[in-house]
Amino acid sequence: MPLSEPSPAAVIRSRRAVLPDGERPADVLIRDGRIARIAHHGVLTEGAVTDLGETVLLPGLVDTHVHVNEPGRTEWEGFATATRAAAAGGVTTIIDMPLNSIPPTTTVAGLAAKRKAADGQAWIDLGFWGGAIPGNTAELEPLYRAGVFGFKSFLAPSGVDEFPHLGPADLERALAEQARIGALAIVHAEDPAVLAAAPQRPGVHYRDFLASRPAAAETAAVERLLEAAGRTGARVHILHVSSAAVLPLLRRARETGVQVTAETCPHYLTLAAEEVPDGDTAFKCCPPIRDESNRDLLWEALGDGEFIAVVSDHSPSTPDLKELRRYGGSGDFATAWGGIASLQLGLPAVWTEARRRGHGLVDVVRWMAGGPASLVGLTGTKGAIAVGNDADLVAFDPDAEFAVQPDRLHHRNPVTPYAGRRLTGVVRTTWLRGRVVDVTAEPFGRQITRS
């Protein structure tokens, strides 16, 4: 029988448990919501035993890049729908981005509004990023003390007026303050001057949209950011890298002592510009999905350990804002909202492509659980099946296939570029601190803060 209620002790058993030292048969003892012991398969009998057989036992995934959009734009998503989707996709912890909600998380009051909105709605655990925008440098230390995990900023317009981007002087001030207080700076790196000079041709052709967001915008912004990080001593993290051209810049910066990490996303690893149909604006995101050869280079870098994390950048909106033709929209990539909704689908999407390229589930867990947990300082609590960690676990069938049906997703709006795509890997059960996440019952996710 599935483990559905907290108990003093229980065991989850699998012939394929993905542990920090590799995949092997194991028994995992759960006591008071934490992993108390890991033993050889078939050894432990304390409490109720859930035997998964050949179904793989994974640690719950950690997604550090999610736009929940509540309060203020809850019609785009919301804590209840986002966290249900996350649980269905094997994600047990998310860190919510500071923008697209109103108010944004750029003040302590904004953080309080976010926490109040989330209270009692979360099916999984969640924390919050703060935001660094022009004029709020004095807010950063109070926000950090209040428990945000770091600060997001944009180097180009964000798409929403209440979260403006940082110019060069603002960036220098923000990074210097974050270095002073020891906070992590996470940055959307596209250069506004390069974007302004790029050809802007509205319409349904994806190639025109791609030309409007060239790879040079990423490289120019990353160069500027790394120079500022070197001067200020700030720790910086490059969000949603879509262009492999930035990778040599990161390597050189690390060699000179700059503290920099980077992430990429499932859509950059599994989709390609050549396959985007005209007018299908579900594929629009910024920076954009690039060509197949670029995708191959991202995979090579991922395999070499150059990315600390693979995270969703789940950024949904209502169908009308996506200008989707099937909802009566124009299919114009220039005017459609730029964001991919994939929180529920990240694991099977990445696994489908990873195993085709010769990677195993140990790799996927490193990219999507352990790496993101380490980025935000949750190692020792989340991201691994390890003694002392929260018993956040996933029963995953790595061989089951399914076709993505948008109306079966838990996202508030059934918009996804994966519609109709066949993916491999099905989440059978998700446990949060040893309890099955049952979305027909009461949610019991917690709000977490930076240690």
Side-chain angles (χ1 to χ4, degrees), residues 205-374:
H205 301 303
Y206 184 76
R207 64 178 179 270
D208 292 335
F209 169 66
L210 187 60
S212 75
R213 314 288 297 208
E218 285 189 73
T219 54
V222 169
E223 283 180 328
R224 177 156 62 92
L225 175 64
L226 294 175
E227 290 169 359
R231 287 191 298 271
T232 60
R235 291 186 298 131
V236 295
H237 176 73
I238 314 299
L239 298 167
H240 47 46
V241 171
S242 79
S243 169
V246 308
L247 296 168
L249 304 178
L250 303 181
R251 295 180 201 125
R252 288 197 294 270
R254 293 182 187 118
E255 289 169 359
T256 63
V258 175
Q259 301 176 80
V260 58
T261 54
E263 69 186 36
T264 193
C265 303
H267 41 281
Y268 301 131
L269 296 170
T270 63
L271 306 175
E274 292 89 340
E275 64 190 32
V276 178
D278 282 351
D280 195 345
T281 49
F283 287 82
K284 180 180 176 178
C285 57
C286 300
I289 296 161
R290 303 193 188 277
D291 61 30
E292 291 182 7
S293 60
N294 177 81
R295 181 177 63 182
D296 290 341
L297 292 173
L298 292 179
W299 272 104
E300 183 179 327
L302 184 61
D304 289 341
E306 295 194 50
F307 292 111
I308 194 172
V310 176
V311 290
S312 67
D313 188 13
H314 178 72
S315 185
S317 71
T318 52
D320 60 308
L321 291 177
K322 288 297 284 184
E323 293 286 356
L324 289 161
R325 283 174 157 177
R326 60 183 174 274
Y327 288 97
S330 67
D332 187 340
F333 282 97
T335 57
W337 174 259
I340 301 287
S342 64
L343 186 53
Q344 186 171 335
L345 297 171
L347 175 57
V350 171
W351 171 236
T352 300
E353 187 69 13
R355 80 171 189 171
R356 187 179 75 81
R357 292 173 180 264
H359 296 285
L361 284 169
V362 171
D363 298 318
V364 173
V365 164
R366 183 173 65 254
W367 302 330
M368 303 186 77
S374 68

Side-chain angles (χ1 to χ4, degrees), residues 60-63 66 68 79-96 118 120-128 343 382 392-394 430-433 435-439 442-448:
L61 305 188
V62 178
D63 194 334
V66 178
V68 176
F79 288 105
T81 51
T83 57
R84 278 201 301 266
V91 178
T92 53
T93 305
I94 63 171
I95 312 297
D96 174 50
Q121 292 205 74
W123 299 98
I124 60 168
D125 287 355
L126 73 152
F128 304 99
L343 186 53
K382 306 285 189 182
D392 298 349
L393 302 165
V394 176
T430 299
W431 292 266
L432 180 68
R433 294 186 303 280
R435 293 178 61 184
V436 168
V437 180
D438 177 0
V439 298
E442 290 296 315
F444 58 92
R446 297 176 181 171
Q447 295 184 32
I448 60 176

Side-chain angles (χ1 to χ4, degrees), residues 23 29 40-41 55 59 95 99 101 114 170 176 206 277 290 292 299 313 320 344 362 373 396 409:
E23 181 184 311
L29 174 65
H40 294 297
H41 185 273
T55 300
I95 312 297
L99 73 156
S101 56
K114 186 71 69 88
D170 295 316
Y206 184 76
R290 303 193 188 277
E292 291 182 7
W299 272 104
D313 188 13
D320 60 308
Q344 186 171 335
V362 171
F396 183 67
L409 298 176

Side-chain angles (χ1 to χ4, degrees), residues 48-95:
V49 176
T50 299
D51 192 338
L52 300 181
E54 296 293 331
T55 300
V56 180
L57 184 65
L58 305 178
L61 305 188
V62 178
D63 194 334
T64 56
H65 196 150
V66 178
H67 295 268
V68 176
N69 306 332
E70 187 176 3
R73 292 190 174 97
T74 310
E75 70 275 14
W76 293 16
E77 189 59 276
F79 288 105
T81 51
T83 57
R84 278 201 301 266
V91 178
T92 53
T93 305
I94 63 171
I95 312 297

